[in-house]
Amino acid sequence: MCGIVGISHHKEASKMAFLGLYALQHRGEEAAGIVSYDGREMHVIKKDGLAVDNFDESNISRLKGHMAIAHTRYSTTGGSHTKNIQPILVNHRKKPIAVAHNGNLINTDELYARLEDEGSIFQTSMDSEIFVHLLAKTPNGDMAQWLTKVFSQVKGAYSVVLLLEECLIGARDPQGFRPLCLGKLGDGYILASESCAFDLMKAEFVREIAPGEIVIIKGNKLESIYLPGSKSAAKAFCVFENVYFARPDSRIFDDNIYQVRKRLGAQLAKEHPAKADFVMGIPDSGNYAALGYAQELNMPFELGIVRNHYIGRTFIQPTQFLREFRVRVKLNPIRDVIKGKKVVIIEDSIVRGTTSRSRIEELREVGAKEIHMRISCPPIKSPCFYGIDFPSSGELIAHNKTVQEIADFIKVDSLGFLSLDGMMSVMKDKSSFCSACFTGKYPTAIPKNTDKLKLES
Ligand code: AMP
């Protein structure tokens, strides 16, 4: 998963892009980059690490220009190498092209082979670079036709921003897997994965870019075109964005994430009520569903675990040992709240089971009498090919174990997962979501080679 930002027509474009990255940091913590354009040349800074560590007043001031795109990376194709930090910036026929992409393509193998046969030399091991080669190879008379020809060749999940020929471009695949929002800042437009980025920039949320839509923004003018057939294409918004990934203060897929998560919690309470002294969430992601659960059953709600905010998303850690260590540092249960109590603990999802097992162990250590765990989505059983970095099926705990076996593994007194129908019942546009990670029913053909590192040499 990644976060992307695009700024047009603003005298401090790179500063705004930085604010956007800051707000979208939760979408990727491996690397961050900004490319700006001053009307003559592009300027770029990209590094491993968090946006806040990579940028300051002095280097942002080197990113001159009135336009910028930016990217925060969480690798879902290609390893965590410096060469794979986005935005990708190239020069072609004396004109610069910059690309930032969120999502995974499903016809990477075919396009890669064809482009290499035609002489393309790839510099990265990311599917995202395909956009650059297609842009360079496709005859570019009229901008709308050029972009239509390019985006018609790629299949799968993409929300992208480009800097191209004095224009800021935003595009979203016809199924709309990943979000992309349009905002207004002064008399310019901005694009961002999630609307929370606009709040930090004090920009106005205008609307979401529609699935299959391409916006071409030049100065303060916006032209919108649609890929052929996209208006009638079946939609596949990623339901895991709503369950876990997106920020609760964002508005994506025509809904507010905080409210969606509370509805998930309320539905969970209807399906799996538990008798206990109080309800609490695993911070931060479980808190919203926990509040919905408690309100639905009229139960007390406690914040019984404190989150250390100086540590990022734990599942991004490369080894199991580091993940477990970081989980412990990150979250600390409050003994005086929990000791001798029967608790319902709500988590947004279980992926490997690492966080949950470790949390439960700590709750026992501080004296919890009974622990009833409730999960605000169904068991995750299948990998994602559209941009969530779920481990292989073998590492997904629910792929191999029944609910009772998972309960035994994480050592809870009872465990309940929200049903698929229950989860979908609280989504606004129920028929428009991809839930393949729960069902194994994929809304596209499955890519031939699903290895994340398949493009590494
Ligand atoms: P667990 O499966 O018990 O280790 O918990 C993992 C926590 O990380 C849950 O809050 C998940 O929602 C969250 N998470 C989100 N995305 C991922 C991912 N791609 N891999 C692993 N965990 C994830």
Side-chain angles (χ1 to χ4, degrees), residues 211-346:
E213 182 181 8
I214 303 172
V215 288
I216 304 167
I217 301 166
K218 188 164 194 174
N220 56 5
K221 302 265 179 315
L222 181 144
E223 181 193 356
S224 163
I225 56 170
Y226 281 81
L227 287 173
S230 58
K231 285 191 179 163
S232 57
K235 304 301 169 246
F237 307 153
C238 170
V239 76
F240 201 65
E241 293 266 0
N242 283 5
V243 168
Y244 170 79
F245 222 92
R247 252 172 63 159
D249 50 346
S250 283
R251 193 172 175 82
I252 59 165
F253 304 149
D254 197 23
D255 217 334
N256 164 243
I257 299 299
Y258 174 93
Q259 288 169 327
V260 173
R261 289 188 192 156
K262 272 188 68 184
R263 297 201 299 265
L264 287 168
Q267 180 62 27
L268 182 61
K270 286 182 198 150
E271 293 184 17
H272 297 285
K275 283 209 173 70
D277 294 311
F278 59 81
V279 179
M280 61 187 231
I282 296 194
D284 290 337
S285 46
N287 281 344
Y288 311 93
L291 191 57
Y293 188 100
Q295 287 180 352
E296 178 66 27
L297 295 179
N298 245 326
M299 287 176 76
F301 173 74
E302 298 285 355
L303 294 165
I305 299 178
V306 170
R307 160 138 190 227
N308 183 331
H309 283 273
Y310 299 96
I311 203 155
R313 289 191 155 179
T314 31
F315 66 83
I316 293 176
Q317 295 310 304
T319 68
Q320 190 71 359
F321 172 78
L322 276 182
R323 266 194 295 274
E324 278 173 24
F325 168 74
R326 300 227 339 167
V327 163
R328 215 174 166 89
V329 175
K330 182 171 159 183
L331 301 172
N332 196 27
I334 308 172
R335 186 178 297 270
D336 295 294
V337 174
I338 289 161
K339 194 168 175 213
K341 294 291 194 295
K342 297 179 191 169
V343 301
V344 186
I345 177 106
I346 312 287

Side-chain angles (χ1 to χ4, degrees), residues 55-183:
F55 298 101
D56 55 29
E57 284 281 339
S58 99
N59 67 4
I60 289 179
S61 68
R62 296 209 305 270
L63 294 168
K64 295 191 178 54
H66 57 288
M67 296 167 75
I69 62 169
H71 188 270
T72 176
R73 174 163 165 84
Y74 153 40
S75 57
T76 51
T77 6
S80 303
H81 310 301
T82 308
K83 68 177 181 187
N84 284 344
I85 305 177
Q86 296 194 36
I88 302 170
L89 172 61
V90 297
N91 273 309
H92 179 66
R93 298 203 173 112
K94 299 199 173 137
K95 287 190 182 158
I97 301 173
V99 176
H101 169 215
N102 172 207
N104 274 14
L105 306 183
I106 58 154
N107 61 340
T108 301
D109 299 327
E110 295 89 310
L111 289 173
Y112 214 84
R114 194 193 87 200
L115 288 163
E116 281 200 317
D117 284 349
E118 290 169 7
S120 288
I121 297 172
F122 282 81
Q123 304 283 325
T124 74
S125 51
M126 294 179 295
D127 55 354
S128 315
E129 194 183 340
I130 285 171
F131 291 107
V132 174
H133 293 274
L134 290 177
L135 284 162
K137 290 248 158 82
T138 310
N140 55 341
D142 168 72
M143 175 69 86
Q145 279 177 14
W146 182 20
L147 295 170
T148 303
K149 279 189 195 146
V150 166
F151 286 109
S152 298
Q153 296 175 67
V154 280
K155 295 196 173 69
Y158 60 86
S159 282
V160 286
V161 289
L162 317 177
L163 287 180
L164 193 65
E165 312 241 334
E166 315 277 327
C167 296
L168 168 67
I169 314 292
R172 192 165 163 214
D173 66 74
Q175 286 164 287
F177 285 95
R178 300 286 147 223
L180 187 61
C181 301
L182 177 72

Side-chain angles (χ1 to χ4, degrees), residues 74 244 315 347-356 389-390:
Y74 153 40
Y244 170 79
F315 66 83
E347 174 64 306
D348 61 274
S349 58
I350 295 186
V351 181
R352 293 182 179 83
T354 324
T355 316
S356 313
D389 188 25
F390 283 143

